[in-house]
Amino acid sequence: MKINEEQLNHLLNQMTLDEKIAQCIQLAPNFYEGSKEKGDVTGPMAKLGISEELVQNSGSLIGATGAKEMIRIQETYLKNNRLKIPLLFMADIVHGCKTIFPIPLAIGCSWDLELAEKSAEIAALEASVSGIHVTFAPMVDLVRDPRWGRVMESTGEDPYLNSKFAKAFVRGFQGSDLEEDPYRVAACVKHFAGYGAVEGGREYNTVDMSERQLREYYLPAYKAAIDEGAQMLMSSFNTVNGIPATGNRKLLRDLLRDEWGFEGVVISDWGSVMELIPHGVAADEADAAYKAISAGIDIEMMSSAYVKNLSSLVENKMVDEALIDEAVLRILRLKSKLGLFEHPYRGADEELEKRIMMSEYYRHVSHELAVKSIVLLQNKNGILPLQKGKKIAIIGPFAKSHDLLGPWSWLGSKEDAISLYDGLKEKAGAHSLLYAEGCGIDTGTEEQLKDAIKITNKADIILLALGESSEMSGEAASRADIRLPQVQMDLMKLLKRADKPMIAVLFNGRPLDLRDVVEVTNAILEAWFPGTEGGAAIADLLFGDKNPSAKLSMSFPYSVGQIPVYYNHFRTGRPQNALPKVEKYVSKYLDIPNDPLFPFGFGLSYTTFSYGNARLSDQTMNVGTSLTISVDVTNDGEVPGEEIVQLYIQDVVGEVVRPVKELKDFKKVLLYPGETKSISFTITEEKLRYHHSDLQYKSDHGAFIAYIGPNSRDVQALSFQLIQ
Ligand code: GLC
């Protein structure tokens, strides 16, 4: 039977206040009968003092892993739940469930929205057969500070690109009809809002910026996910302009509900309701519950402020029961949208789970996405691709490592990941490989170094496999020094003495300070955490069976001292290089350049592309018309390649200062050797709008410059006017 709005309201009216409040808590599996973790109350949050009766009325569960466990928990739960309201099962399916895709920052470098959507669709399928209904993804926090460990979870520094990916992920997770398709999951966009702007890149730290800055850069991708139909949203740990997001009415009610019209469920982050106390905006648990429910948190994740305080707050008339009713109705509506009242086990299927997980097709998609996400940063004298038959000394902590999945890789097993060594062996044969670890991630011995030096004597090429362990990025993994660990740099410099061509393949979750790596090596392949197919995808690229096409979606700083460094910055009143011979009194550093080591949009190929005949259809446009900008792109090399052509626009004079350029469109084009294609973009007045000082979102008449090219730096400029 279909539960309609009237029936949902009828159900709500049958519920006691305690039953309503219990719907608003989310607990881990160890509270539930049927869970293999039942009774494990060792974790700090597990000791919430939750009664059995309350568990039997709780609304949702975080983190059950597997169809069998989900079915047993739901079965037991429904036997004891008076009104037979099914549990919602949620989990962090961020870049894959069992088949793991590259980390989202890598996917951001693919600029491939279709593949991103496909990866989310596969993740949803694997998640739903294992009993998950909702994923805590996409994470769309804009990031400009690689000291922050969670940059790996974002698609990067640009609001336009992040918005496009946010929509693609929501489409992939949810499909077109959640109710009819049990093999999709509801998306929960996170972390609202501005979590990527934590001061100093320090995890859980303060976020404070003008509302204009928030709306211009940090909010668009959340809005894009909501406009695409994301069913849930998660509040972030951080403050937003002095008020923690989880207790921020301006953010969660005035903006999210009233201005944006979001009608989905809002969940806190893990314990973030109770964290209003250490934040210093709640005097005690009751105050925390009051502030969170007033702000509009529907579900409290893994803390007990609601269940211990809301009923007395209602009885004391501090909280209107209507507030709780609206929260519970949103939760019940989501359960109805997922069809859980009639199908409480939804897509959970032990047999399917065994049969489809990590199928060949899913691994193929992961492989393809990895190939398109790995960025060729340097290739001096075309040392890459490698020729078969060469002796390769593969050295470094990641040479045989399976730590390629990265943080938030849910059911993914590292053992399933193809190591770089395995990928190369498959491609070139073990006989062409010499192996030595050389050093660990951040420890090393003389013995290891000696072994490494020894094998270089017999090699033609040195292939370094270096990087961060997956624990060095992700949540609670901020780093103040963003270079490779010292032992790895020492290994690299020592091996340089072998005077052999040296290639570095990097495995990391954030942009790193790569100055030394650039200087010492001939080529650099930024592999990020490439997922289950990692080593095989890298081998395809190293031997040229696939041609790199990825472009950075986040700038690589020259050094940590440059942070924050991002391409769409303002000019300042004393821009560097503005006036000839004016060297000193301009906006610059004494000791490093202003420009990043590698800019947003940058990535090399095994071929070269030239851009010619850039042209505009007209010099002026008005609100009702548009312009077309075109450029002829030619593959001047010997191999086919995909090029990501990028369109940026600068508003030369604004009511407020405007960025030197902003990404407004992009297209991927495949070109064969010698082939030329004309690539065009349409410039509409809508693409020229921005938030003015009064927060109105509109365009200004006047001069604009369109920039077109292969990245945010090497562009051709064309001027045009927006007139009345
Ligand atoms: C974590 C993360 C959030 C995740 C949640 C549940 O602390 O901040 O992204 O979805 O808890 O695991």
Side-chain angles (χ1 to χ4, degrees):
M1 92 300 192
K2 207 173 166 61
I3 290 266
N4 61 32
E5 196 63 13
E6 188 190 340
Q7 289 165 314
L8 285 176
N9 278 289
H10 177 65
L11 176 59
L12 181 73
N13 295 333
Q14 294 175 299
M15 296 169 77
T16 66
L17 177 58
D18 284 349
E19 285 171 331
K20 292 178 192 174
I21 293 168
Q23 280 295 314
C24 301
I25 189 170
Q26 179 169 92
L27 297 171
N30 53 18
F31 288 89
Y32 294 92
E33 288 302 330
S35 163
K36 54 181 181 295
E37 297 171 33
K38 166 69 185 162
D40 168 15
V41 283
T42 51
M45 297 306 288
K47 295 182 189 118
L48 300 179
I50 302 284
S51 69
E52 277 305 316
E53 190 220 349
L54 186 127
V55 172
Q56 285 316 330
N57 290 302
S58 56
S60 61
L61 177 154
I62 171 176
T65 46
K68 186 172 182 179
E69 181 180 36
M70 179 271 187
I71 291 167
R72 282 172 47 184
I73 291 173
Q74 188 76 293
E75 217 166 33
T76 316
Y77 177 89
L78 284 171
K79 275 194 199 112
N80 300 307
N81 183 277
R82 182 174 74 87
L83 293 167
K84 305 306 171 203
I85 300 171
L87 262 179
L88 261 176
F89 286 72
M90 306 192 194
D92 293 284
I93 314 294
V94 179
H95 55 109
C97 181
K98 180 70 179 170
T99 307
I100 302 301
F101 298 94
I103 54 173
L105 188 58
I107 295 176
C109 296
S110 75
W111 299 52
D112 196 318
L113 303 175
E114 290 71 32
L115 265 183
E117 181 174 340
K118 175 58 75 181
S119 75
E121 181 185 349
I122 291 168
L125 212 162
E126 291 189 337
S128 50
V129 299
S130 64
I132 300 300
H133 305 142
V134 178
T135 179
F136 297 128
M139 185 276 216
V140 301
D141 306 332
L142 185 129
V143 289
R144 291 174 167 173
D145 189 334
R147 291 171 295 184
W148 190 47
R150 300 193 78 164
V151 299
M152 52 66 54
E153 233 175 306
S154 166
T155 47
E157 72 188 44
D158 181 75
Y160 175 82
L161 189 61
N162 288 354
S163 298
K164 289 288 187 185
F165 273 113
K167 286 177 174 293
F169 286 132
V170 170
R171 284 194 303 271
F173 286 131
Q174 298 192 161
S176 52
D177 189 334
L178 263 181
E179 208 160 329
E180 293 307 315
D181 186 347
Y183 301 117
R184 303 282 186 156
V185 293
C188 175
V189 61
K190 67 186 184 184
H191 306 79
F192 196 64
Y195 187 15
V198 285
E199 278 182 7
R202 180 156 56 86
E203 185 61 284
Y204 312 125
N205 204 2
T206 302
V207 169
D208 217 279
M209 64 180 80
S210 68
E211 177 150 359
R212 207 188 70 75
Q213 179 85 347
L214 197 63
R215 285 175 176 271
E216 188 74 3
Y217 299 100
Y218 289 87
L219 293 181
Y222 304 110
K223 180 77 167 49
I226 287 167
D227 291 348
E228 199 64 26
Q231 292 297 310
M232 278 186 68
L233 174 137
M234 182 187 294
S235 68
S236 55
F237 287 120
N238 53 285
T239 54
V240 179
N241 296 341
I243 302 173
T246 303
N248 195 320
R249 292 174 67 114
K250 191 170 179 326
L251 195 66
L252 299 179
R253 283 198 188 280
D254 302 349
L255 176 67
L256 184 64
R257 299 283 185 203
D258 301 345
E259 187 180 327
W260 288 2
F262 181 61
E263 295 178 347
V265 174
V266 174
I267 187 169
S268 78
D269 204 334
W270 187 292
S272 65
V273 167
M274 216 62 112
E275 288 173 11
L276 297 177
I277 301 169
H279 265 301
V281 292
D284 52 29
E285 292 185 4
D287 198 16
Y290 168 73
K291 289 205 162 59
I293 195 75
S294 307
I297 297 289
D298 299 325
I299 299 178
E300 177 180 8
M301 183 195 290
M302 278 304 286
S303 60
S304 51
Y306 277 17
V307 293
K308 288 181 176 170
N309 299 282
L310 277 184
S311 53
S312 49
L313 286 167
V314 169
E315 277 145 32
N316 303 335
K317 306 266 182 273
M318 285 283 288
V319 167
D320 185 334
E321 188 166 350
L323 270 190
I324 298 171
D325 287 351
E326 72 172 54
V328 176
L329 200 51
R330 285 193 280 259
I331 297 165
L332 297 177
R333 208 173 279 134
L334 177 57
K335 294 183 180 185
S336 171
K337 271 189 183 176
L338 286 160
L340 293 178
F341 286 99
E342 52 272 33
H343 305 293
Y345 308 105
R346 193 167 154 80
D349 183 324
E350 286 182 72
E351 197 280 322
L352 252 185
E353 194 178 27
K354 287 191 190 78
R355 188 150 46 86
I356 68 160
M357 290 300 212
M358 268 214 318
S359 75
E360 196 180 328
Y361 172 64
Y362 300 167
R363 292 190 72 127
H364 164 74
V365 174
S366 182
H367 183 114
E368 196 187 351
L369 189 46
V371 164
K372 291 180 184 276
S373 305
I374 293 169
V375 190
L376 180 60
L377 292 177
Q378 177 169 273
N379 190 18
K380 291 173 188 165
N381 311 316
I383 182 84
L384 286 176
L386 299 173
Q387 283 89 36
K388 289 192 181 159
K390 297 275 187 190
K391 265 289 189 234
I392 302 168
I394 175 168
I395 302 170
F398 274 92
K400 289 195 171 183
S401 169
H402 291 271
D403 185 18
L404 307 186
L405 306 184
W408 301 109
S409 47
W410 200 240
L411 296 178
S413 314
K414 289 180 181 177
E415 302 69 50
D416 295 329
I418 298 173
S419 72
L420 179 54
Y421 184 87
D422 293 344
L424 291 171
K425 188 171 78 173
E426 180 65 26
K427 179 79 60 185
H431 60 278
S432 58
L433 297 179
L434 300 161
Y435 165 73
E437 189 178 23
C439 68
I441 291 288
D442 50 13
T443 55
T445 66
E446 278 308 309
E447 207 51 42
Q448 285 176 310
L449 289 177
K450 281 194 191 113
D451 291 348
I453 293 165
K454 207 183 302 172
I455 67 167
T456 55
N457 300 331
K458 298 174 226 152
D460 301 314
I461 293 256
I462 298 172
L463 184 63
L464 290 172
L466 309 173
E468 297 177 310
S469 69
S470 49
E471 289 74 32
M472 292 166 72
S473 59
E475 185 173 355
S478 295
R479 290 182 69 203
D481 180 347
I482 57 169
R483 292 174 300 170
L484 287 169
Q486 193 56 49
V487 284
Q488 296 185 44
M489 298 227 275
D490 295 346
L491 169 69
M492 177 178 70
K493 290 169 185 168
L494 183 70
L495 293 176
K496 184 63 188 164
R497 293 183 206 159
D499 197 20
K500 299 268 171 81
M502 196 138 77
I503 296 150
V505 179
L506 303 177
F507 300 84
N508 44 292
R510 59 165 49 86
L512 297 172
D513 169 353
L514 294 180
R515 273 175 292 166
D516 291 353
V517 185
V518 162
E519 189 189 324
V520 171
T521 66
N522 301 78
I524 302 172
L525 209 49
E526 175 52 78
W528 305 109
F529 286 106
T532 307
E533 285 286 317
I538 298 166
D540 271 351
L541 291 166
L542 285 172
F543 281 97
D545 294 336
K546 295 285 171 67
N547 186 359
S549 60
K551 306 253 183 170
L552 293 177
S553 62
M554 187 176 180
S555 306
F556 271 56
Y558 181 87
S559 79
V560 75
Q562 221 180 39
I563 294 171
V565 62
Y566 46 93
Y567 87 93
N568 48 353
H569 60 82
F570 300 138
R571 275 169 286 181
T572 80
R574 295 196 174 191
Q576 198 180 26
N577 309 324
L579 299 170
K581 298 194 182 54
V582 176
E583 286 294 317
K584 185 163 177 55
Y585 299 99
V586 291
S587 177
K588 70 181 179 82
Y589 300 97
L590 291 179
D591 51 352
I592 62 170
N594 288 1
D595 292 333
L597 193 63
F598 296 109
F600 176 84
F602 177 82
L604 297 175
S605 167
Y606 291 147
T607 186
T608 52
F609 299 99
S610 56
Y611 284 64
N613 190 21
R615 57 206 182 270
L616 281 167
S617 58
D618 203 330
Q619 248 58 46
T620 60
M621 63 181 280
N622 59 41
V623 173
T625 63
S626 63
L627 283 182
T628 302
I629 180 167
S630 304
V631 67
D632 297 339
V633 184
T634 303
N635 179 342
D636 299 324
E638 309 297 319
V639 293
E642 274 192 318
E643 173 66 328
I644 300 169
V645 182
Q646 299 154 46
L647 169 67
Y648 298 87
I649 292 180
Q650 178 184 14
D651 186 347
V652 179
V653 179
E655 186 253 358
V656 295
V657 291
R658 307 283 290 117
V660 291
K661 56 176 74 77
E662 298 173 283
L663 181 70
K664 293 295 180 183
D665 208 338
F666 61 90
K667 276 181 187 161
K668 251 186 174 185
V669 57
L670 173 63
L671 291 169
Y672 287 89
E675 185 181 13
T676 296
K677 278 183 184 165
S678 181
I679 306 298
S680 295
F681 299 102
T682 302
I683 299 174
T684 59
E685 177 271 335
E686 189 190 9
K687 284 186 181 292
L688 310 180
R689 295 177 191 167
Y690 67 95
H691 290 90
H692 285 57
S693 57
D694 61 0
L695 300 183
Q696 280 196 65
Y697 187 66
K698 58 184 183 179
S699 60
D700 297 333
H701 299 124
F704 290 82
I705 302 173
Y707 297 100
I708 196 160
N711 59 60
S712 61
R713 179 188 63 198
D714 311 316
V715 288
Q716 297 179 45
L718 292 160
S719 298
F720 67 94
Q721 295 271 338
L722 175 65
I723 57 176
Q724 295 289 6

